[in-house]
Structure formats: C-alpha cells, structure tokens
Amino acid sequence: MFARVTSVALVGVEPCPVDVEVHVTNATQSVFTIVGLPDTAVREAKERVRAAFRSSGLHFPGGRVVVNLSPADLPKAGSAYDLPIALGLLAAIDEKCKVVARVVALGELGLDGALRSVRGGFGAALVGRRMGRSVVLPENAASDASVLDGVDVFGAATLKQAVAAALGEVVPASGAPPALEGKPSQDLAEIRGQRTARRALEVAAAGGHHMLMSGPPGVGKTLLARCMPSVLPPLPAHQQLEVGLAWAAAGLSRFGHTEAPFRSPHHSATLPALVGGGSGVPVPGEVTLAHRGVLFLDELGEFPMPILDALRQPIEDGQVVVARKGSTVTFPSAIQLITATNPCPCGFLDDADRQCVCTPRAVDRYRARLSGPLLDRFDIRVHLARVDHRQLSGPPGEASSAVRQRVTAARKRQFERGSLNSVLLRADLDELDWESASIALLDKAVDAHRLSPRGWVRVRRVAVTIADLDESAVIAQDHVSEALAYRVT
C-alpha cells in the first residue's frame, strides 16, 4: 500500500516541494521508519503521529511503515512533516481517503491530535498555487496564508479536521493581512528644525541610499530614522511577495502589507541574528527581514566590529550567503541601511552646550569600531546639531505625505531608466547628461577630499537623485555640490 502527499521545505526563503511517500506492508513486527535526511524532530514524528491517530479514534496500521521524504538529499528539519505523514498513512491504508494525497500539507501534531502552527505555511500556499492543489494548514497559519490569491487554503485545529479539509468537506479559510507588531512609523511633521537632516532623509529615500547620522543624544536621529517608512512609496505586488516569503521563512507573517519593512535590532544582537544562520537549518536574520525596506542600526558605535564588518557584503550585493558543511543557503538582503551614532562614548564631543568627558583614547577607540570600508559604503553622512529651543515650540514640520509624493515621483523617473540610483553602475552614470561644471567640480573633489573610486561613484549617484527630485534631466553643479556636502562632512 502506497501514497504520496506533498509538503514543503525551505531552501533559504524559497519553498521547495517535498514528496512525503508512505509505504505500508504486512509484517510480524510493527516498524515505523523515516528516511530522507530527517533531523531529530522529523524522526520523532513517528511517535507524535502514532499517538495522534489513537487520540483521534483513527486506526494506526500494524506491520512495516516506511516514510521517504523526497528529494532524499535535501535536509529536512522541524515538526512540520507530522501532518503530511499522517495524511499519507490514511491514504495508503484506506481507499476512501486516497483523495487526501492530492493536497499540500504542513503542520505539527500534538499527542492529543491537535494541530499546531509551524513556519513555512505561506511557502506551502505558494507551492500549492504553483501545483494547482489545495493546501491544508493549522488554523493560525491558514489565516495568514489565505491572503494569497489563486489557491484554496484550509485551516484545521485537529487531525480529524485536517482529514475533513483534505476531503473537501469544509470551506476554505479567508483571511486579511495580519496586524503588524511594533510601533507605527513616525511622521516627519513631528520633527522641528533639522532642515539639513530632513533634506538628507528625503534624498536617501528617493534614491535608496545608505545614510549615517551623527550627533549628540536627543537631537532627533532615531526619530528621523523611524520616519523613513512613512516617506517611502508602497511596495509593488511582486516585492510584497518577496518580503512575505522572507518573513515566512523566519516564522513571521507579513504578506499583504504594502508598507516597506523597518527593522531595528539592538546592538547586543548576535551575528546569526543579524545576518542569518543559526544551528541546524539556517534561518533569515534581521538583514533579510528588512529586505525591500529599511534596516536601522541605532547606537552604531556600540555594535561589535565583527558584526558591523559582516554587513559590508550584504549591503553591497543585496544578498546574504550562509555556508554550511555540504550546503550553501542564500537569503535576499536588498536593504536601505540607516544608522545613527554619537560622536563619542558620552555623546557630547564638539557639542556647544555640554562638555565632553571622554579621553582622546576613548574617542579614538569608539570611532575605530566603524571601519573605513564600512563608512565608505554610506552614500549620505549628515551631522545633527542641537535644535534651538524656540524651534521646538514652533509650527510642525512638513508632513511625510508631502515628502512621499516627491519621493515617489523621483523613484518613478529612476525606474523608467531601469533601477534605483543607489545601484547605478558607472556605465549607467556616464550615459546621463552632466553639465561640464559638474564634471569639473567632481574632479576637484577627488583631489581635495581624496575620494575613493567607490566614493566617487556614490557621490554621482546621490547627485542624480537630487536632480530627480528637482525634476531636472541635467545633473547640474548645484546637484553635485549638495551630494558632496553629504559625503565629506
């Protein structure tokens, strides 16, 4: 007796179909074997499935049961294969249940037959849509995955309900985008003063440029960064899908939300938590959860140097490559990096109102955490000074909605050329219309400020973004001058 049920394994963030093949034969001794590179949690499924069958009043077959998870050379991890193994057993021993093998299933079984949520539900729904099959998931996972169009997703709380769903005896789940955790994005209207920093944030948003803010405590660095999602345009449908897959691979749900993701890990975060990895099957880190959005690192000088230097490759290549013995996993990381730092440990170096108490050695050690190669990757660097108290009680600043309109218009011009300005190649930049005075100013800046080749290209990218915000087809000298001011401060 044989049956096959489809399940899912995550390779990076991409769901890969897994055939759960169940073969049952008569034997004098009861044997239950799972093969196909299972980890400990998968091998323990036989005990959970056996107990769930009995608790649900279902007949568990005697004799020899062999479960093969194919492709056999792909490592399988976690308890998500409990449900497809159980459905495969039913389909193998009962002709009336053969139809249950025509679904994509994922879920952990409790000993009492309860069905528990696991990560990868959204990936299972995506695989079901590609294969033209319905999907059976635990209730929580089903409500999240059901926002995906073109596939019937059934939710179940128990094994018996999952069987009924696989038989088509219940109505598919219907869901709305789940509420996002965390604070909503701030509005720029809350910020008083900081005209230069507001302008820099707008330029960074328009071109997708990485940005470094420095200044004493309390001047608005963190608040500015938290305003970034409110000025970014909504994500298009294909990017919503990319972000949804990235979050689903981490056991989170975000599909259906149009706002760009914003992640702000604490400086005590470990390297795997930030860039991805971990023991067993690698899982996405904060860099991947910020894919197509913003990764904000507050108190940048407090992050350990190895973690900061590990960011250099992901922000340059737009992906994280996690190597394990015998395998390599790639996670997407097309992020915009926004950072904030104090100029010294106490925060008041060069402050007009308060005296710095740090020793020169402490200041040098603090600044040394930010390596030259990392600093060179910031397109925009801006210093925030303390705001006069009279500005604090003044009228509100320009609202994010107005800035978003200009940012959206600038990005539209960029996409008509092919891509965001932050990733333009030198050949793409050379094809644009540059004033002769702009080129001359760039040449002088290379000598005067000792710009690296990377820095030279990044200044040109920012200048193009400023021209896009000004709705100018020509990159003028003023555009280059403003871009240089953001680079050499």
Side-chain angles (χ1 to χ4, degrees):
M1 295 177 287
F2 175 81
R4 180 186 290 111
V5 178
T6 301
S7 190
V8 172
L10 293 175
V11 181
V13 301
E14 184 65 25
C16 175
V18 171
D19 287 334
V20 180
E21 302 173 332
V22 181
H23 189 256
V24 181
T25 56
N26 294 325
T28 57
Q29 187 176 3
S30 180
V31 179
F32 195 158
T33 305
I34 301 176
V35 298
L37 283 186
D39 72 349
T40 301
V42 178
R43 288 194 296 270
E44 291 173 346
K46 57 187 177 183
E47 302 301 335
R48 293 190 294 270
V49 170
R50 193 192 309 269
F53 260 64
R54 291 171 179 168
S55 298
S56 303
L58 300 173
H59 170 68
F60 189 86
R64 181 177 179 81
V65 177
V66 179
V67 176
N68 178 44
L69 306 177
S70 176
D73 59 348
L74 179 68
K76 320 298 187 309
S79 56
Y81 300 102
D82 293 3
L83 180 58
I85 290 174
L87 295 180
L89 271 172
L90 282 173
I93 64 177
D94 190 344
E95 285 292 331
K96 297 179 181 178
C97 294
K98 287 292 184 184
V99 69
V100 304
R102 301 173 188 169
V103 299
V104 178
L106 208 66
E108 177 186 329
L109 286 172
L111 301 184
D112 59 351
L115 200 55
R116 298 167 182 165
S117 186
V118 293
R119 72 185 185 101
F122 182 75
L126 188 61
V127 168
R129 186 173 73 173
R130 292 170 180 171
M131 300 179 67
R133 296 186 179 184
S134 58
V135 181
V136 180
L137 298 171
E139 284 182 327
N140 291 342
S143 62
D144 295 343
S146 60
V147 300
L148 185 64
D149 296 328
V151 59
D152 289 334
V153 179
F154 296 90
T158 65
L159 175 57
K160 294 192 74 171
Q161 290 181 13
V163 174
L167 293 172
E169 298 175 354
V170 296
V171 178
S174 60
L180 289 178
E181 298 179 359
K183 297 180 180 179
S185 57
Q186 301 284 343
D187 195 287
L188 277 172
E190 295 291 324
I191 298 175
R192 305 296 197 272
Q194 302 298 1
R195 180 178 178 182
T196 300
R198 287 173 60 100
R199 170 65 174 177
L201 188 79
E202 180 178 342
V203 174
H209 302 289
H210 305 311
M211 179 176 175
L212 169 65
M213 294 179 287
S214 64
V219 295
K221 303 186 296 294
T222 301
L223 182 58
L224 268 168
R226 293 193 178 279
C227 290
M228 180 62 86
S230 68
V231 302
L232 292 174
L235 294 177
H238 70 280
Q239 291 187 0
Q240 292 178 39
L241 181 59
E242 291 179 17
V243 174
L245 282 173
W247 280 53
L252 303 172
S253 178
R254 206 184 191 281
F255 185 81
H257 291 276
T258 61
E259 187 178 84
F262 180 90
R263 303 294 296 183
S264 180
H266 191 260
H267 58 76
S268 62
T270 63
L271 184 60
L274 195 64
V275 302
S279 59
V281 176
V283 296
E286 292 291 337
V287 172
T288 299
L289 295 178
H291 179 60
R292 299 300 181 187
V294 176
L295 178 67
F296 174 50
L297 301 184
D298 203 358
E299 303 294 345
L300 187 66
E302 300 296 335
F303 281 82
M305 286 185 63
I307 288 182
L308 293 180
D309 287 337
L311 290 173
R312 287 153 50 183
Q313 181 259 336
I315 64 177
E316 194 78 14
D317 299 341
Q319 63 181 20
V320 177
V321 180
V322 179
R324 291 290 182 268
K325 183 178 180 180
S327 65
T328 301
V329 175
T330 301
F331 295 117
S333 64
I335 64 168
Q336 184 172 4
L337 181 62
I338 307 295
T339 62
T341 184
N342 296 324
C344 64
C346 80
F348 297 105
L349 184 68
D350 298 328
D351 186 74
D353 297 332
R354 298 198 45 185
Q355 183 176 0
C356 175
V357 298
C358 302
T359 65
R361 183 177 181 183
V363 174
D364 292 341
R365 186 166 56 246
Y366 188 81
R367 290 180 170 178
R369 292 189 179 187
L370 307 182
S371 66
L374 177 64
L375 289 174
D376 206 35
R377 284 168 167 80
F378 287 102
D379 300 354
I380 296 176
R381 307 172 195 169
V382 60
H383 180 78
L384 283 72
R386 197 174 299 280
V387 178
D388 187 273
H389 70 276
R390 287 167 294 189
Q391 290 181 303
L392 296 177
S393 58
E398 186 180 27
S400 292
S401 57
V403 178
R404 176 184 276 194
Q405 290 181 358
R406 296 195 295 269
V407 168
T408 302
R411 286 201 171 198
K412 182 179 179 181
R413 283 187 281 275
Q414 295 171 50
F415 288 132
E416 288 174 352
R417 292 195 297 263
S419 65
L420 282 176
N421 290 337
S422 59
V423 295
L424 286 177
L425 301 177
R426 177 174 176 173
D428 301 322
L429 293 167
D430 291 341
E431 292 178 358
L432 300 177
D433 192 358
W434 296 78
E435 282 186 354
S436 57
S438 301
I439 298 174
L441 181 58
L442 277 168
D443 291 341
K444 290 181 181 179
V446 171
D447 295 330
H449 302 290
R450 297 182 179 180
L451 290 178
S452 67
R454 181 192 288 121
W456 178 73
V457 170
R458 290 180 181 273
V459 168
R460 297 179 74 194
R461 290 171 176 172
V462 175
V464 175
T465 299
I466 297 170
D468 287 334
L469 284 169
D470 288 348
E471 301 182 12
S472 173
V474 178
I475 296 89
Q477 184 177 4
D478 289 345
H479 302 144
V480 174
S481 178
E482 183 178 352
L484 284 169
Y486 295 139
R487 183 75 186 182
V488 299
T489 54

